[in-house]
Amino acid sequence: MKPITTKTFRDQKIVIRTKPSEYLIALAAVVIAALIFYPISSLIGYQTIGLLFLCLVAILSMFLSRNAVILAAILNFISWNYFFIPPVFTFHIHEIHDVIALFANLIIAITGGTLLNKIRKDKVMLQQHQERITVLFSLLDSLNNASSIKDVVNKAQSEIKKHFSAETIIYLKKTEGQGLDKKAFGNPDLFSEKGYERAASIYDDNEADKSRAPGNDRLHYYPLALNSNRIGVIGLLFTNGNKIEEDVLLILHSFIDRITAALDREINIDLSKKSQIYDESQRLFHIVLNTISHELRTPIAIISAAISNLNDEKTRKNVHLKNQIFEELNYASARLNTLVENFLTMSRIESGYLKLHCQQWDVGDLVGIMCNQLKEHIQNHIVKTDVAENLPSVFIDVNWFKQALVNVLHNAAAYSPEQSEISISAGLNKDKMVVIEISDQGGGVPDGSLLKIFDKFYRLPGSKSGGMGLGLAISKAIIEAHHGVIQAKNRKEGGLSVSILLRPLDYERQAEQV
């Protein structure tokens, strides 16, 4: 689409100015027609000549302005009277019907020419309004597809450059406090301290910039406001000069209104998102705080009670009771240690300080280390292992990866009944990836929570006390750091199955070589 010019989108009455050349064309057309008609007037009759002159005016009205058409009609009136209506070469007319025909010809020529000229102007106006609608639709369609403030600015900048041949800079109000933010959107080359001061002044006054004093920069500034709600200022640098005529201003203001509405929409969306994030963070903070408080109180209460009992004289003499208290102390300290270790591990992972020292490891040895570390926790379960023969080695940091497997196995033991079966298998899938699968016979997980169980601090509704909801989240982070995948699904026969997928060592070496 061509850039908008001063001939575009004039809402007031369209005036088609008559050029001097049009008068010459009208005069030449009548003279040429008279010269052509005169030799044949005796053959076709002077009445027919009058009709031909009328047709000439109709043809000229399709190309010339109204004044030129009126001139042609008057010249036809004179030529027909002087050269063709008897007596010729005189303006005297003997027959009354010739007088009526002559003036009727003049009236019809002027009226018909004027009407045809008006039709031309209406056509021009219709084309202009159609182009205006097309341009506005292009802008609206572009802005409606924008998904952020930056996207709105980019699309607005593109549309303004395409339709107005202008560069754009936009200042928005401060997110906190009052006034205009100094951060500019759009073309950064248009920013200047003086320009920002002018934009801030326009923002405060809420009126378009009308000063074109020497020394000012070449930008035109307009407030971005919806009713009394001011959201910023837009600055435009027209590449074809600073003069803006009313025709261009009309559509430009429509553009600015649409851009303002789109920016206001995105600002409100951002504020809504920030409010939701704040509310969600506050909710999560209280959940985490309550969980931490509960988890810390339990082992502390056990330790306090145990110390109090050990100070009792009867307890000192009862060896069996002392051993029982020592077991409780051991359990409480282990629980505290697990909580602290989980927090430290998660903080190291999220801070980016997790560094892997990978080595070649046999999958069967890895399964054995995992089971040995949790032998006390899984001693009341029936553990079955099935490791395929000739499995390729994996390239892992055994200390970290062992922690990921231990967390999954600990979770399976904690949420399945005693004496139930826990199966640990390892093999290759069809994509040649090593798969370590840990399955239990517990109650499983609701389908809506299968993806959430790997989120931080997420615990299933109705879960028994104990735990922070960090174990599986830590496992997921460690496994993904090894470029692996962890998945969970409910078993058809009941219980939960967690699968860990890793590329074998040969694949990792090939990737490093590439």
Side-chain angles (χ1 to χ4, degrees):
M1 185 174 291
K2 297 180 180 179
I4 295 173
T5 64
T6 56
K7 294 182 180 179
T8 312
F9 309 139
R10 189 190 298 273
D11 273 357
Q12 61 269 29
K13 183 178 179 180
I14 292 179
V15 178
I16 301 179
R17 293 186 177 90
T18 305
K19 299 178 181 178
S21 59
E22 293 184 356
Y23 291 118
L24 294 177
I25 292 173
L27 176 61
V30 173
V31 171
I32 293 172
L35 292 175
I36 294 173
F37 297 156
Y38 185 78
I40 61 174
S41 60
S42 59
L43 297 176
I44 61 177
Y46 69 89
Q47 295 88 350
T48 304
I49 299 298
L51 294 176
L52 292 175
F53 272 125
L54 192 61
C55 292
L56 175 64
V57 173
I59 294 172
L60 291 175
S61 64
M62 298 175 64
F63 304 100
L64 304 181
S65 64
R66 183 182 62 178
N67 292 338
V69 171
I70 292 175
L71 174 63
I74 294 173
L75 292 175
N76 283 346
F77 174 86
I78 296 172
S79 299
W80 190 34
N81 183 7
Y82 189 79
F83 293 105
F84 297 98
I85 297 177
V88 297
F89 304 117
T90 178
F91 292 108
H92 182 71
I93 302 175
H94 290 181
E95 302 295 335
I96 187 66
H97 64 270
D98 288 338
V99 174
I100 295 173
L102 178 64
F103 282 94
N105 186 292
L106 176 63
I107 294 172
I108 292 173
I110 293 175
T111 304
T114 302
L115 289 175
L116 287 174
N117 198 264
K118 186 176 184 303
I119 291 173
R120 284 178 56 212
K121 291 192 293 183
D122 290 342
K123 180 182 178 182
V124 173
M125 183 178 290
L126 181 62
Q127 290 175 342
Q128 291 176 354
H129 283 292
Q130 184 177 4
E131 185 176 354
R132 179 178 184 177
I133 293 172
T134 302
V135 170
L136 286 176
F137 177 79
S138 173
L139 176 69
L140 287 173
D141 184 59
S142 180
L143 295 180
N144 286 336
N145 293 327
S147 57
S148 65
I149 293 176
K150 188 175 181 180
D151 199 14
V152 169
V153 172
N154 290 338
K155 291 181 183 298
Q157 187 177 11
S158 174
E159 292 291 325
I160 289 176
K161 187 173 184 179
K162 179 171 67 174
H163 299 299
F164 293 93
S165 299
E167 295 294 334
T168 307
I169 186 171
I170 294 178
Y171 300 94
L172 296 178
K173 65 181 181 180
K174 294 179 180 178
T175 54
E176 296 181 0
Q178 296 180 346
L180 202 63
D181 196 340
K182 207 166 187 178
K183 178 184 177 182
F185 295 88
N187 190 340
D189 296 334
L190 302 183
F191 175 82
S192 67
E193 290 293 338
K194 185 179 291 185
Y196 168 74
E197 291 175 2
R198 287 176 55 206
S201 175
I202 291 165
Y203 175 80
D204 294 333
D205 296 339
N206 199 24
E207 290 186 2
D209 179 26
K210 298 178 182 178
S211 64
R212 307 292 337 143
N216 287 347
D217 62 351
R218 298 170 295 160
L219 272 70
H220 294 258
Y221 292 94
Y222 303 92
L224 300 174
L226 290 174
N227 299 324
S228 59
N229 180 27
R230 289 171 290 171
I231 65 172
V233 173
I234 183 171
L236 300 177
L237 175 63
F238 294 89
T239 57
N240 56 357
N242 285 327
K243 186 178 180 181
I244 308 174
E245 298 190 11
E246 293 183 0
D247 304 348
V248 179
L249 279 176
L250 185 66
I251 188 63
L252 178 60
H253 287 153
S254 297
F255 258 62
I256 292 174
D257 289 342
R258 303 288 78 76
I259 293 169
T260 304
L263 286 172
D264 185 64
R265 178 193 68 205
E266 295 303 323
I267 289 173
N268 290 330
I269 290 175
D270 284 354
L271 290 175
S272 177
K273 287 180 179 178
K274 288 181 180 178
S275 177
Q276 291 177 359
I277 291 172
Y278 175 79
D279 293 340
E280 184 64 21
S281 64
Q282 288 295 310
R283 187 186 69 83
L284 182 61
F285 172 76
H286 289 298
I287 291 174
V288 173
L289 184 61
N290 292 335
T291 304
I292 293 173
S293 300
H294 178 268
E295 291 301 319
L296 290 177
R297 283 195 190 103
T298 302
I300 290 173
I302 294 174
I303 293 171
S304 298
I307 293 173
S308 178
N309 290 331
L310 286 174
N311 289 329
D312 187 81
E313 186 175 348
K314 294 181 179 180
T315 306
R316 294 175 185 172
K317 298 178 180 180
N318 191 330
V319 177
H320 176 73
L321 188 57
K322 285 171 65 176
N323 291 336
Q324 186 177 352
I325 292 174
F326 288 142
E327 289 179 2
E328 291 177 353
L329 283 171
N330 185 52
Y331 168 77
S333 63
R335 187 168 175 177
L336 273 176
N337 184 64
T338 301
L339 289 173
V340 173
E341 284 294 330
N342 282 342
F343 272 118
L344 291 176
T345 300
M346 185 55 70
S347 63
R348 290 178 65 186
I349 291 172
E350 293 189 336
S351 64
Y353 289 116
L354 174 59
K355 294 183 179 180
L356 302 179
H357 302 284
C358 297
Q359 294 179 341
Q360 179 179 347
W361 273 89
D362 181 76
V363 177
D365 293 341
L366 192 60
V367 172
I369 293 173
M370 171 185 63
C371 294
N372 185 60
Q373 184 166 336
L374 281 180
K375 59 183 179 180
E376 293 183 0
H377 292 277
I378 61 177
Q379 61 183 356
N380 294 326
H381 293 79
I382 303 171
V383 179
K384 292 185 177 181
T385 59
D386 181 16
V387 179
E389 295 182 358
N390 300 322
L391 271 181
S393 299
V394 290
F395 197 60
I396 60 172
D397 184 322
V398 68
N399 292 322
W400 281 106
F401 203 84
K402 175 187 65 177
Q403 181 63 42
L405 294 177
V406 165
N407 287 352
V408 175
L409 182 57
H410 184 276
N411 203 66
Y415 290 95
S416 58
E418 291 187 1
Q419 303 306 317
S420 63
E421 182 180 299
I422 296 177
S423 61
I424 304 171
S425 62
L428 286 176
N429 63 6
K430 60 181 181 180
D431 296 323
K432 303 299 182 182
M433 294 186 71
V434 175
V435 181
I436 302 173
E437 187 173 6
I438 301 174
S439 304
D440 60 57
Q441 294 181 338
V445 174
D447 292 337
S449 300
L450 276 174
L451 296 178
K452 296 180 181 179
I453 61 174
F454 297 107
D455 294 344
K456 290 183 298 182
F457 304 111
Y458 181 79
R459 304 188 72 227
L460 292 175
S463 298
K464 61 183 180 180
S465 61
M468 290 283 297
L470 286 176
L472 292 181
I474 292 173
S475 296
K476 181 175 183 290
I478 293 173
I479 291 167
E480 289 180 348
H482 285 82
H483 308 291
V485 178
I486 184 169
Q487 301 170 340
K489 64 179 180 180
N490 288 312
R491 303 171 65 197
K492 294 181 180 179
E493 57 271 23
L496 184 71
S497 176
V498 178
S499 301
I500 298 165
L501 290 77
L502 279 177
R503 291 289 181 186
L505 179 61
D506 292 341
Y507 179 89
E508 295 290 341
R509 285 176 175 170
Q510 291 174 8
E512 287 181 359
Q513 291 175 0
V514 172

